[in-house]
Amino acid sequence: MKSLVIAEKPSVARDIARVLRCEKKEKTYLEGKDYVVTWGLGHLVTLADPEDYHKKYKEWKMEDLPMMPEHLKLVVIRQTNYQFQAVKTCIHRKDIGQVIIATDAGREGELVARWILAKAGNQKPIKRLWISSVTDKAIRQGFSNLKDGREYENLYRAAVARAEADWLVGINATRALTCKYNAQLSCGRVQTPTLAMIGAREEEIRHFVPKPYYGMTARGEGILFTWKEKTSKSQSVFQKEKRDTAYEAVKNHAGTITSVQKKEKKAYSEPLYDLTELQREANQRFGYSAKETLNIMQRLYEHHKVLTYPRTDSRYLTEDIVDTIPERLSAISVGPYKAYTAPLLKKKIKANGSFVNNQKVSDHHAIIPTEQTPVLSAFSMEERKIYDLVVRRFLAVLYPPCVYEQTTYEMEAGGETFTAQGNVIVEEGYREVYEGVSNMEKPLPILNKDQKISNLLLQKTEGKTSPPARFTEAGLLKAMENPVQYMEQKDQKAAKTLKETGGLGTVATRADIIDKLFSNFFLEKKGNEIYLTGKARQLLSLVPADLKKPELTADWEQKLSRIAKGQLKQQTFMGEIRGYTKSLIQEIQEGEGKFRHDNLTNTVCPVCGKKMLSVTNKQGKLLVCQDRSCGHRIRISKVTNARCPQCHKKMELIGTGEKQKFVCVCGHKESLEAFQNRRKKEGAGVSKKDVANYMKKQQKEAKEPMNNAFAQAFANLNLDE
């Protein structure tokens, strides 16, 4: 008898099939002597739409809410039905004795496979492949250590509970808000608190009143000393008179060095990357969105096979990985990394708590290189940058700490105290890996205790307190990971749960959540900063307060974790969700707020004749029909990768047909033809094919409905994983 292996994607299936010597290639599966390998395309099966339960649900009516099917049904996704039927046929082959689940090793990966098996009516034994990378070695080791599928039943129950809870709450609340206010208003237990955090930050900024502060410096012997106020020990004060009094006291006085302290200190590398930390750093350093970084990581994991599983929330390794480190170091001993791996390969790798901790690893360890040697020339520029971040961080944790000598001088002048501090590197340690990227070295001239410093050059300094910074994607990811400060009530238990469960969303879903908030016109970008749209601000005033709180996710995730551990019954949790959904819909129905489009234009929709809305998303500006049942849209401008010849910022392409032109925020404008001619002279022209593809995409977007009833609303829901 043969084993049927179900992978999540074709690329992973091909890798597994090659290792298992499945050389017979069919359109929907690969077959060998002992195995048949097939695949999903992500989810092949999903929860049924409301209209699948009753035809009356095709129309969105408040009186039909809440929709509460006794049992939520599974349906095959129409677009990938052909692949589902192929997998089902394989499952029921007489020569198949068991099924091996080889989808992503996590809660959502379990759901992908189990729903396929459930819908296909599988009765055969189940085994589980649980691996963190898709190198040949990892696949072989995984298949030699298959788990019994029954060990993951509770994980599957938790995944189903998550999906069904989001369906009941998300779809009912979205329909209720949309019907109540006749506007496309979607909400969810992660999406809405994320908007609320941005809203809270905008309120802080709006009500912020700058406060002036005052300080003083003294320069002597080539050193800049900073005044330290006597009482508070602060380097600045809010009372100008206090600073001025100190200035007068010091003026015309020499300084005396009262203290010389030299301490040897150690600085350690940052921990290894989990997905959120990698997304944050890529956004800060390269401007990549969370979604872009995840997509790049997926290619490095699946296609190049040089990095381990990306969707991890751990920054540590387990002890069993330590023995594989020399092999991983040998694999990355190429190009710029060879000089840094050589010293490490000469000695035994010792595990320490800074990067090895079994207790801090759940499903997957931190992101590190695999045992596969990379072909750096095959990487795109973006892949190379992300790979470089991961490899250097991996090397850094294996290097010794940076040792530096910190020198602190304290000076007294006119009864006032001044300090100066400088560092001198003793041993580069892990900093060597970063090739001097961080600049810690700031040596000070040598001074002795009781040394006099005359002719001090005093200078008054002043500034104003700054408002909190607006969110960037990096900042928003950090806030989603740790939203405790945005909780209305400082419930310590809820705060602890949020920290333990990883905050709002998961490492796998945060990028999609942020992306959906942009595509649904709740967020817009100005430069790298994120702003709420008028639509989002109104939504936050209309949505039930409970849905805006991070505590809701904390409560759900705590219970889902208990279901996965077998400590809570799925039915108990779902009973609570049904009751919660009913109360939510009642609150929306009784709401007294109003929704007004604050972005109406005078442009009339060519399809239905109603006025269109002006909206902005990551790709540029659009006109969208205000009628949610129409949803027609027209692309006005698109942000491109074309750089302005004057300020080098990205330009927008506006207009249609021959009238298209590039415009920049600095005021530069040029026609598409002029741009192409200029770039051709520079040797980097935009090809006709690129322009044709863009035009085709633009035309396709114009034809697609913007918010087609249920399908759009469901797509907009914040399904956590």
Side-chain angles (χ1 to χ4, degrees):
M1 298 292 278
K2 296 184 178 183
S3 297
L4 175 67
V5 181
I6 303 177
E8 193 159 329
K9 298 174 183 175
S11 58
V12 177
R14 285 192 293 269
D15 293 330
I16 292 173
R18 188 187 65 256
V19 173
L20 299 179
R21 300 185 183 280
C22 298
E23 296 172 354
K24 180 184 175 184
K25 296 181 180 179
E26 298 292 343
K27 186 178 180 181
T28 54
Y29 65 91
L30 299 149
E31 187 167 355
K33 179 185 173 186
D34 300 313
Y35 298 93
V36 176
V37 182
T38 187
W39 55 84
L41 298 164
H43 280 281
L44 298 180
V45 176
T46 189
L47 293 172
D49 293 345
E51 49 264 41
D52 290 326
Y53 296 95
H54 199 290
K55 61 183 181 182
K56 70 178 181 179
Y57 291 144
K58 282 188 177 181
E59 288 188 62
W60 291 32
K61 296 179 180 177
M62 186 68 88
E63 55 264 33
D64 292 333
L65 302 177
M67 298 174 289
M68 289 283 184
E70 188 175 345
H71 299 289
L72 293 184
K73 298 188 293 189
L74 294 176
V75 294
V76 177
I77 297 172
R78 183 172 53 82
Q79 294 90 333
T80 53
N81 178 57
Y82 72 93
Q83 184 61 27
F84 171 79
Q85 296 302 333
V87 177
K88 181 178 179 181
T89 300
C90 288
I91 290 170
H92 291 289
R93 277 174 45 170
K94 291 182 179 178
D95 61 339
I96 297 294
Q98 67 174 1
V99 176
I100 300 172
I101 296 176
T103 48
D104 285 352
R107 189 169 75 188
E108 199 63 20
E110 198 69 25
L111 193 65
V112 168
R114 296 288 188 137
W115 270 358
I116 292 171
L117 295 175
K119 189 64 179 173
N122 174 64
Q123 297 294 322
K124 294 174 181 177
I126 298 172
K127 294 285 187 181
R128 189 49 159 111
L129 176 73
W130 197 272
I131 55 178
S132 291
S133 63
V134 288
T135 61
D136 291 5
K137 180 181 178 182
I139 292 169
R140 278 193 292 271
Q141 287 179 339
F143 271 90
S144 66
N145 189 33
L146 290 172
K147 311 289 185 183
D148 189 322
R150 288 172 293 189
E151 293 179 28
Y152 300 89
E153 285 290 335
N154 286 329
L155 183 66
Y156 171 48
R157 291 189 182 98
V160 172
R162 193 280 308 155
E164 292 187 350
D166 275 324
W167 192 100
L168 289 168
V169 172
I171 286 180
N172 277 296
T174 291
R175 283 203 174 196
L177 284 166
T178 300
C179 293
K180 175 82 174 176
Y181 302 106
N182 192 29
Q184 190 65 52
L185 299 173
S186 62
C187 61
R189 66 180 175 93
V190 174
Q191 168 184 304
T192 314
T194 300
L195 284 178
M197 289 194 301
I198 302 170
R201 177 65 58 85
E202 289 196 352
E203 281 299 301
E204 283 184 70
I205 295 169
R206 191 175 294 116
H207 293 105
F208 182 82
V209 178
K211 196 174 180 183
Y213 59 86
Y214 308 91
M216 175 172 48
T217 61
R219 183 176 291 278
E221 298 293 335
I223 300 174
L224 184 69
F225 292 87
T226 303
W227 174 58
K228 188 183 282 187
E229 199 272 326
K230 292 176 183 176
T231 308
S232 66
K233 306 299 181 186
S234 173
Q235 294 183 348
S236 61
V237 292
F238 291 117
Q239 301 83 16
K240 185 172 182 289
E241 302 77 22
K242 187 178 284 189
R243 189 277 314 271
D244 289 346
T245 300
Y247 180 88
E248 292 300 322
V250 176
K251 194 167 61 173
N252 300 323
H253 281 75
T256 303
I257 300 299
T258 56
S259 171
V260 178
Q261 290 186 351
K262 291 189 177 183
K263 290 182 180 178
E264 190 171 272
K265 293 196 170 188
K266 292 181 179 180
Y268 294 84
S269 166
E270 289 286 313
L272 295 164
Y273 287 115
D274 62 7
L275 178 59
T276 300
E277 186 63 24
L278 186 60
Q279 287 169 321
R280 285 178 53 211
E281 188 148 340
N283 179 255
Q284 290 169 336
R285 293 185 62 174
F286 313 127
Y288 297 163
S289 71
K291 186 70 172 176
E292 285 173 322
T293 301
L294 178 55
N295 289 340
I296 295 165
M297 271 297 304
Q298 281 295 131
R299 295 198 298 271
L300 291 166
Y301 165 66
E302 288 181 8
H303 177 65
H304 298 291
K305 304 177 187 59
V306 293
L307 294 182
T308 55
Y309 187 69
R311 291 178 169 90
T312 176
D313 59 359
S314 175
R315 302 185 70 179
Y316 293 86
L317 304 178
T318 48
E319 291 173 4
D320 60 307
I321 299 296
V322 177
D323 290 340
T324 72
I325 289 177
E327 192 174 353
R328 296 173 196 269
L329 288 171
S330 296
I332 62 174
S333 296
V334 296
Y337 313 117
K338 195 170 184 178
Y340 308 118
T341 58
L344 294 172
L345 287 167
K346 290 177 183 176
K347 58 185 182 181
K348 183 177 174 60
I349 301 296
K350 292 182 180 178
N352 67 66
S354 68
F355 68 96
V356 179
N357 190 327
N358 287 7
Q359 305 305 313
K360 293 187 177 182
V361 180
S362 51
D363 290 344
H364 297 282
H365 57 68
I367 301 168
I368 59 173
T370 65
E371 301 93 333
Q372 182 128 328
T373 301
V375 181
L376 299 179
S377 60
F379 293 179
S380 67
M381 181 181 68
E382 292 81 8
E383 289 166 350
R384 184 67 187 270
K385 286 179 177 177
I386 296 299
Y387 182 72
D388 187 73
L389 286 180
V390 175
V391 169
R392 290 188 189 273
R393 182 64 63 87
F394 175 63
L395 291 168
V397 300
L398 299 175
Y399 264 65
C402 168
V403 180
Y404 63 98
E405 185 180 73
Q406 186 181 82
T407 301
T408 305
Y409 292 139
E410 198 167 275
M411 177 181 73
E412 186 273 331
E416 298 293 332
T417 301
F418 294 78
T419 61
Q421 195 173 83
N423 301 318
V424 176
I425 302 297
V426 179
E427 295 175 21
E428 285 278 354
Y430 79 89
R431 287 177 75 248
E432 185 183 335
V433 172
Y434 293 107
E435 300 173 339
V437 170
S438 56
N439 184 20
M440 184 186 293
E441 197 141 358
K442 182 190 160 191
L444 293 175
I446 296 174
L447 299 177
N448 300 311
K449 189 178 179 184
D450 299 326
Q451 182 174 336
K452 299 288 184 184
I453 301 178
S454 55
N455 301 318
L456 286 173
L457 182 61
L458 293 181
Q459 184 173 356
K460 295 178 180 180
T461 60
E462 57 186 72
K464 288 185 177 181
T465 54
S466 302
R470 288 193 177 274
F471 279 116
T472 61
E473 283 205 37
L476 188 55
L477 284 167
K478 184 177 182 180
M480 291 174 76
E481 187 178 42
N482 186 21
V484 172
Q485 69 183 93
Y486 299 92
M487 291 168 54
E488 287 186 12
Q489 297 175 347
K490 303 302 179 186
D491 184 327
Q492 290 188 348
K493 185 178 178 183
K496 185 171 182 285
T497 302
L498 272 171
K499 188 174 181 181
E500 290 173 351
T501 56
L504 291 173
T506 67
V507 290
T509 59
R510 288 183 191 123
D512 280 331
I513 291 162
I514 294 172
D515 232 39
K516 284 178 181 176
L517 290 172
F518 277 107
S519 62
N520 293 330
F521 313 118
F522 289 123
L523 299 179
E524 59 185 359
K525 262 189 178 181
K526 295 176 184 177
N528 203 32
E529 294 181 330
I530 295 173
Y531 289 74
L532 286 183
T533 62
K535 178 181 178 182
R537 280 190 288 272
Q538 289 189 79
L539 172 69
L540 290 173
S541 70
L542 300 173
V543 76
D546 209 35
L547 269 180
K548 294 187 283 187
K549 297 177 182 177
E551 292 93 322
L552 180 63
T553 281
D555 180 56
W556 281 29
E557 283 297 338
Q558 186 180 48
K559 289 170 181 173
L560 291 171
S561 177
R562 289 179 61 204
I563 294 171
K565 294 174 183 175
Q567 299 169 352
L568 178 68
K569 288 186 177 181
Q570 179 185 345
Q571 296 89 331
T572 304
F573 174 71
M574 291 311 300
E576 293 176 7
I577 293 298
R578 287 173 181 273
Y580 175 70
T581 303
K582 289 176 183 175
S583 64
L584 205 60
I585 300 310
Q586 184 178 349
E587 187 175 344
I588 293 172
Q589 289 171 335
E590 294 172 354
E592 296 180 355
K594 293 186 184 300
F595 183 90
R596 293 184 180 87
H597 292 294
D598 59 0
N599 53 346
L600 269 177
T601 69
N602 289 322
T603 304
V604 175
C605 175
V607 177
C608 70
K610 294 181 180 177
K611 287 187 177 181
M612 302 188 80
L613 308 173
S614 173
V615 296
T616 303
N617 62 11
K618 278 186 177 181
Q619 288 72 45
K621 296 181 176 66
L622 304 94
L623 291 177
V624 180
C625 182
Q626 65 172 297
D627 190 332
R628 63 183 176 84
S629 62
C630 172
H632 182 70
R633 62 181 174 177
I634 302 169
R635 171 67 68 183
I636 300 300
S637 70
K638 186 175 180 69
V639 177
T640 71
N641 287 321
R643 297 285 177 172
C644 173
Q646 295 180 10
C647 71
H648 306 295
K649 291 181 179 177
K650 288 183 178 181
M651 296 191 293
E652 280 189 295
L653 185 61
I654 65 173
T656 57
E658 296 179 358
K659 294 182 179 180
Q660 288 186 99
K661 62 181 177 182
F662 285 96
V663 298
C664 180
V665 290
C666 74
H668 174 75
K669 296 179 182 178
E670 63 183 322
S671 68
L672 178 59
E673 183 181 4
F675 171 80
Q676 289 173 317
N677 291 335
R678 175 171 64 81
R679 296 297 282 156
K680 196 177 291 182
K681 288 178 183 177
E682 294 170 357
V686 176
S687 69
K688 289 182 179 179
K689 184 179 178 182
D690 291 336
V691 176
N693 286 340
Y694 167 69
M695 293 300 297
K696 191 182 293 182
K697 184 178 178 184
Q698 194 176 36
Q699 289 164 2
K700 184 181 176 184
E701 285 179 351
K703 291 177 183 176
E704 289 176 351
M706 187 63 200
N707 45 16
N708 186 288
F710 173 76
Q712 179 67 22
F714 189 69
N716 294 343
L717 287 182
N718 169 41
L719 302 182
D720 260 23
E721 300 198 278

